[in-house]
Amino acid sequence: MRYKPGDVVIKTTGGNKMTITQEYKNGHEYHYKCYWFVGSDLHEELFREDDIVTLEDYKRYLKIEERDDKLNQLFKDESGC
């Protein structure tokens, strides 16, 4: 179990910040019920543990991707391609 109720998470593919409200164990897999708002509309969904990350981890991933994109662009420019 990586997360607990009250943790703020985001889908690994991006999206809205969500708050975990409940955790469920199904065999060896954990699932988490998350709530989030879009405007004034409340949404809820159950996510597998591998489908969400903490907001801090997501920000780290974005920084790494941004750095990799800049390095790839730099190498591309230097090679003349």
Side-chain angles (χ1 to χ4, degrees):
M1 173 180 66
R2 284 187 219 163
Y3 310 109
K4 62 185 181 321
D7 286 351
V8 176
V9 296
I10 191 166
K11 291 186 344 184
T12 56
T13 57
N16 296 305
K17 292 187 276 184
M18 305 179 290
T19 302
I20 293 177
T21 58
Q22 288 180 296
E23 60 189 54
Y24 302 93
K25 186 174 181 185
N26 183 7
H28 296 291
E29 264 191 342
Y30 283 95
H31 293 82
Y32 299 89
K33 183 181 277 190
C34 298
Y35 287 98
W36 70 97
F37 283 93
V38 176
S40 60
D41 296 329
L42 177 64
H43 296 266
E44 71 175 89
E45 192 168 331
L46 200 61
F47 293 97
R48 290 179 330 125
E49 188 169 66
D50 293 339
D51 293 338
I52 56 177
V53 293
T54 64
L55 195 53
E56 286 72 32
D57 283 345
Y58 186 73
K59 288 177 184 177
R60 258 187 250 125
Y61 296 147
L62 287 180
K63 286 179 184 177
I64 290 169
E65 276 185 17
E66 183 179 308
R67 183 196 69 210
D68 289 349
D69 288 346
K70 288 179 181 178
L71 287 172
N72 288 336
Q73 186 62 44
L74 177 66
F75 291 136
K76 181 180 174 184
D77 291 346
E78 286 181 356
S79 68
C81 295

